[in-house]
Amino acid sequence: MKVISLLNEKGGVGKTTIAMHLAAGLAVRGYRTLLIDADAQANATAGLGLPEAPGFYDLLVRQANWNDLLRVLPAEMYEPPDTPAKGLLAMLPGNGETQLIAQKIDDAYAIYDRLAELEDSIDVVVFDTSPTPSLLHGAIYLATDAILYPTLCETFSLQGLMKTMKHHESFAENRKAQTGRMIHTLGIVPTMYRAKTVEHSENLNELRGRFGNQVWDPLSLRITWSEANTLRRPVFSVAPNSQAAHEAWGAVDRAIREISYV
Amino acid sequence: MSKREQRRQQGAAWTDQTTDEGRNASSSLRDVTAQGYGLNIAPNQQRIIAKPVSIFDIQPDLAQPRRTIPSSIRTAWDGDPKGVKALFMVWWGEVQRERGEAAGKDELPFDLGAYLESGQTERTADEDATHEASGPLERSLLQITMLAASIRRDGLINPVTVEQGKNSRYRLETGERRWLAYHLLHAWFDGHDGRPDEREEWDTIPARVVEKFDVWRQASENNARDDLNGIGKARQFAVLMMDLRGMENFRPFSAFENEQDYYAQVAEMASPYGSREQLLNALGINSPSVLTRLRHFLRLPHEIWRGADDYNLSEEILEELYGIARQDVDKAIQRFREIIHVKNVRIQSGQTKRKAPPTEPGTRRHFTLVLRMMKQAGKGKKQSNQQALKTLAELRDWVDEQERIIRKLDS
Ligand SMILES: Nc1ncnc2c1ncn2[C@@H]1O[C@H](COP(=O)(O)OP(=O)(O)OP(=O)(O)O)[C@@H](O)[C@H]1O
Ligand SMILES: [Mg+2]
């Protein structure tokens, strides 16, 4: 089992959108995938049209059983019209209570330990996180095998990205000391990209200069993404032949390749 | 070895043996996150290394808001650690009596020895039924037994905290359950009747010795478990209020014949100016109106107070009973007895209903089944695949149905 977290301390950069698409895409490709909504705003939960409770809080504070928490999504909700899903997509919802978790636990490895129970039943876990650092983020970092950084090619987002990467390093030390495992970088994925603007293309060049091929192909700004969002389905299910769907698959397949190195 | 220890050991193998002072990786969420974000958060409490302390040198805190021992049993015990073994025997006797009254003489309580000796802590479906059929005395003893079994299997994960007292004695701040579990293990594995003699192992418990007993720390631990009932919360509220107002202004616990009266000393008192936030936080509640409610509970009739604690009555019911008691105490007590009676009956009839194991979609069993089917499915395994598809279809119907229900709620 591999745990992937979407992180960026800047808000609105596409964490939730990519988390949902990545989880759904992996499920279509044959992975048994679990999406965990670790953001108290619960956008991913709402985005898939699921009820908010029981959720993440119940797992960590009420110590509920996984079997009582997981919701397996019907494949019609996310698979493309003529590509039946080969894996499965389960979700652990989030809600306002998520904010209270850190007050109630003091074990930095609480998430790590609960995820270990799923070793045999889930292949990939995807975390959607909130942008503002919190105590809970500490526990998520320590449970994470690889981080995927979505970012806009705009100055503030890049600053957020740099900060996040610095924190990645210091959490990685603790994880290594306690478990002997690393926190890899799965990649950096530029989102809502507009190739025609100078700011975006320059910043993308700078990113590539710095991080080389860790930078994935950008996901362009397209109306399809927000339309799919309204329909509560991924772009490749709503508009399988669109450019957006094409780019989304590009990211999913890149993720699959990177996961094999983690 | 527990999962946690395994993890630590694996980790230790990776780190250099030259861990210089202070670089020891902590696993406290606060410490780790502060470090990770490069912040200077003052540590929640000093990390004091645990040391083994004799379970007989530890005095329980009689005013502890969380009652591990049912109130009715506790009255038979003066709080002396030497008397815990006898206490367990009384408790076990009462459990059998409770069983006998509830279900007829041929019903046996859960098998205490089997739990302890097998190290089993997860209940199977049949034991679930046993569990549900039992009354409050049995339930609370079963909880300690399961904790003891898990300690014997995995070790104690979280040391208790104690305050240093006179004559190398200690006062228990947090961890009454764990301390009792050690006593149970000590009493059970004494080499009698061919049981292993492990008395020495359970003679001492890992404890952090803190300088000063801190009711706020005790509260945060009680609160973290999320299972204090209304009466427990009322006690917790009272203890914190006493701390805010100065313990010396109250009569000690031992001065009261009925424990409720000790806590009720604060029933009419306002919280000191500016301390309300702190109280709410420590109690883990978000609305001041709950405080009013807790004050009400402090004034409930004794019989209701005691029974509500043992039977874990909901706060809503307690509030209702309080309303009735204000008009007419006898009526409230009568209503209370009815509620307990219904609870008893429901608990028993639940047993017969459970006999046929449900595998309908939406149950835990069914989810487990789905996951197992998914695992068994594979290339060329026609029959397994067929079955997997069938369970998945059931699940899908169930999901659809849930969705319909929930959508209806919103329209
Ligand atoms: N490539 C894209 N083209 C157009 N719109 C997009 C694209 N990617 C995401 N969006 C839209 O941008 C908005 C913000 O995205 P999203 O909610 O995924 O960000 P986030 O990082 O999760 O935000 P937060 O930090 O608040 O959790 C959403 O309305 C989403 O539909
Ligand atoms: Mg989001």
Side-chain angles (χ1 to χ4, degrees):
Chain A
M1 185 179 71
K2 301 286 180 234
V3 181
I4 296 171
S5 295
L6 276 290
L7 283 163
N8 192 327
E9 288 170 27
K10 176 83 180 70
V13 298
K15 291 183 290 296
T16 303
T17 309
I18 294 177
M20 285 163 45
H21 280 81
L22 183 58
L26 290 171
V28 171
R29 290 284 195 250
Y31 291 78
R32 296 168 300 175
T33 317
L34 166 62
L35 175 61
I36 298 183
D37 190 345
D39 184 350
Q41 293 183 66
N43 292 146
T45 305
L48 289 168
L50 288 179
E52 293 191 336
F56 200 31
Y57 182 94
D58 297 270
L59 176 78
L60 296 174
V61 181
R62 302 197 177 100
Q63 291 293 329
N65 268 318
W66 277 110
N67 286 341
D68 296 334
L69 296 174
L70 288 190
R71 289 162 200 275
V72 178
L73 279 97
E76 299 92 271
M77 280 178 65
Y78 58 88
E79 69 193 3
D82 48 356
T83 319
K86 295 200 204 112
L88 75 94
L89 174 58
M91 172 143 199
L92 176 60
N95 53 52
E97 282 187 330
T98 302
Q99 228 163 340
L100 301 173
I101 293 176
Q103 289 176 21
K104 303 252 176 183
I105 60 173
D106 191 47
D107 179 3
Y109 283 87
I111 299 178
Y112 183 100
D113 284 345
R114 288 306 311 258
L115 286 180
E117 297 168 23
L118 296 178
E119 196 62 54
D120 294 336
S121 20
I122 295 291
D123 303 314
V124 181
V125 178
V126 179
F127 270 99
D128 179 27
T129 66
S130 68
T132 324
S134 71
L135 285 175
L136 186 60
H137 281 76
I140 295 175
Y141 269 108
L142 297 179
T144 296
D145 294 310
I147 299 177
L148 179 57
Y149 297 103
T151 182
L152 307 189
C153 290
E154 284 164 13
T155 315
F156 285 135
S157 303
L158 292 177
Q159 280 171 1
L161 176 68
M162 295 306 163
K163 264 198 273 173
T164 317
M165 288 180 145
K166 215 174 96 210
H167 299 148
H168 171 172
E169 257 172 55
S170 32
F171 282 110
E173 272 179 42
N174 191 294
R175 178 168 148 109
K176 179 93 186 189
Q178 295 260 357
T179 67
R181 298 167 72 171
M182 318 233 295
I183 307 178
H184 298 264
T185 300
L186 198 73
I188 299 167
V189 50
T191 59
M192 300 180 224
Y193 181 69
R194 276 172 293 152
K196 292 205 179 94
T197 67
V198 179
E199 192 197 10
H200 279 204
S201 53
E202 275 186 358
N203 279 325
L204 179 60
N205 276 339
E206 198 186 314
L207 259 185
R208 286 195 168 129
R210 245 182 118 136
F211 297 106
N213 64 0
Q214 285 196 316
V215 182
W216 295 8
D217 290 338
L219 302 173
S220 311
L221 183 82
R222 289 180 208 280
I223 193 80
T224 324
W225 289 93
S226 11
E227 281 174 350
N229 202 3
T230 329
L231 292 172
R232 299 179 159 176
R233 277 164 55 194
V235 286
F236 42 69
S237 158
V238 174
N241 298 318
S242 63
Q243 275 301 317
H246 182 72
E247 287 176 5
W249 280 124
V252 170
D253 291 331
R254 176 80 195 250
I256 291 176
R257 245 178 301 142
E258 297 296 336
I259 288 170
S260 65
Y261 298 122
V262 169
Chain B
M1 200 189 324
S2 71
K3 251 191 313 191
R4 206 167 299 241
E5 284 167 50
Q6 270 169 14
R7 194 179 67 219
R8 300 274 138 77
Q9 288 207 346
Q10 278 163 13
W14 282 80
T15 46
D16 305 343
Q17 292 304 313
T18 57
T19 38
D20 48 35
E21 293 279 316
R23 295 282 297 167
N24 273 327
S26 162
S27 65
S28 147
L29 183 58
R30 281 176 72 91
D31 297 355
V32 168
T33 312
Q35 221 176 48
Y37 284 124
L39 301 174
N40 258 328
I41 303 181
N44 203 355
Q45 47 172 292
Q46 280 165 312
R47 293 262 130 201
I48 308 162
I49 307 294
K51 65 168 194 180
V53 171
S54 162
I55 56 172
F56 296 104
D57 286 341
I58 296 176
Q59 205 71 41
D61 170 30
L62 296 176
Q64 156 74 275
R66 175 194 301 287
R67 287 295 131 99
T68 316
I69 308 168
S71 306
S72 47
I73 306 279
R74 195 163 185 135
T75 50
W77 176 52
D78 58 1
D80 183 353
K82 293 221 171 54
V84 177
K85 184 172 178 180
L87 171 83
F88 274 123
M89 282 153 83
V90 172
W91 197 341
W92 185 242
E94 288 298 306
V95 165
Q96 283 167 321
R97 199 180 52 76
E98 180 185 70
R99 267 285 171 172
E101 274 174 10
K105 295 281 175 263
D106 51 338
E107 287 263 354
L108 289 174
F110 72 96
D111 188 343
L112 190 135
Y115 270 106
L116 291 179
E117 278 156 36
S118 73
Q120 184 180 8
T121 50
E122 302 267 337
R123 273 174 279 119
T124 64
D126 291 339
E127 283 152 347
D128 243 336
T130 315
H131 178 74
E132 297 211 354
S134 61
L137 301 181
E138 185 171 353
R139 253 194 309 276
S140 46
L141 184 57
L142 179 59
Q143 272 176 10
I144 298 209
T145 308
M146 292 200 293
L147 176 61
S150 89
I151 290 174
R152 186 162 183 260
R153 196 192 53 199
D154 294 336
L156 184 68
I157 289 161
N158 190 9
V160 301
T161 58
V162 296
E163 179 198 47
Q164 175 84 60
K166 283 176 259 150
N167 313 329
S168 65
R169 291 239 155 187
Y170 301 87
R171 179 167 159 219
L172 193 58
E173 184 192 62
T174 66
E176 185 168 298
R177 254 184 236 252
R178 282 162 272 166
W179 174 72
L180 282 170
Y182 265 69
H183 272 282
L184 182 58
L185 290 166
H186 188 272
W188 188 264
F189 294 105
D190 59 357
H192 273 81
D193 298 339
R195 279 177 221 131
D197 186 352
E198 300 177 2
R199 261 172 303 182
E200 253 176 57
E201 196 172 328
W202 309 117
D203 216 18
T204 57
I205 185 167
R208 290 202 181 100
V209 183
V210 296
E211 219 154 87
K212 203 172 163 333
F213 192 97
D214 182 349
V215 291
W216 298 88
R217 187 163 45 216
Q218 188 181 51
S220 100
E221 166 137 345
N222 281 342
N223 179 25
R225 292 186 39 114
D226 225 26
D227 64 350
L228 272 191
N229 60 33
I231 302 296
K233 279 193 197 139
R235 287 196 193 103
Q236 186 72 78
F237 162 70
V239 169
L240 295 175
M241 273 288 278
M242 289 181 188
D243 190 66
L244 287 171
R245 295 232 151 232
M247 283 289 178
E248 64 283 1
N249 298 319
F250 298 90
R251 293 203 286 147
F253 191 81
S254 54
F256 294 89
E257 199 161 309
N258 195 302
E259 51 107 12
Q260 182 184 1
D261 298 337
Y262 168 72
Y263 302 101
Q265 292 182 92
V266 307
E268 314 289 341
M269 266 176 207
S271 50
Y273 183 75
S275 63
R276 205 161 73 175
E277 269 309 294
Q278 194 188 355
L279 259 179
L280 292 178
N281 262 334
L283 289 163
I285 54 184
N286 44 24
S287 144
S289 65
V290 181
L291 291 186
T292 315
R293 208 189 240 192
L294 298 181
R295 284 178 204 281
H296 291 168
F297 297 168
L298 290 171
R299 288 188 227 126
L300 283 168
H302 288 325
E303 178 179 339
I304 299 185
W305 170 276
R306 196 171 44 238
D309 193 19
D310 287 355
Y311 276 91
N312 272 324
L313 293 193
S314 76
E315 292 178 38
E316 286 68 32
I317 293 183
L318 291 182
E319 187 65 10
E320 181 200 324
L321 290 171
Y322 171 76
I324 304 174
R326 266 179 39 175
Q327 315 281 328
D328 183 344
V329 172
D330 290 336
K331 214 166 133 197
I333 292 184
Q334 204 188 338
R335 171 93 185 99
F336 162 74
R337 289 182 183 156
E338 279 164 23
I339 293 170
I340 297 293
H341 182 71
V342 171
K343 247 186 129 120
N344 263 334
V345 171
R346 206 179 25 234
I347 285 164
Q348 284 162 45
S349 61
Q351 192 188 22
T352 36
K353 259 194 261 130
R354 299 188 58 87
K355 276 283 156 58
T359 9
E360 298 107 2
T363 61
R364 188 187 302 181
R365 252 167 212 274
H366 191 267
F367 282 117
T368 318
L369 187 72
V370 171
L371 289 179
R372 195 169 47 217
M373 292 295 173
M374 298 300 300
K375 236 193 249 173
Q376 282 167 0
K379 211 171 167 166
K381 297 203 239 166
K382 217 166 174 186
Q383 203 167 1
S384 302
N385 295 352
Q386 210 73 50
Q387 275 177 343
L389 285 174
K390 187 174 151 267
T391 42
L392 280 177
E394 283 169 7
L395 182 67
R396 188 172 301 132
D397 290 342
W398 178 80
V399 170
D400 289 343
E401 175 67 6
Q402 299 305 308
E403 199 181 24
R404 249 197 307 283
I405 291 170
I406 284 157
R407 282 197 201 289
K408 236 193 195 149
L409 292 178
D410 275 344
S411 62

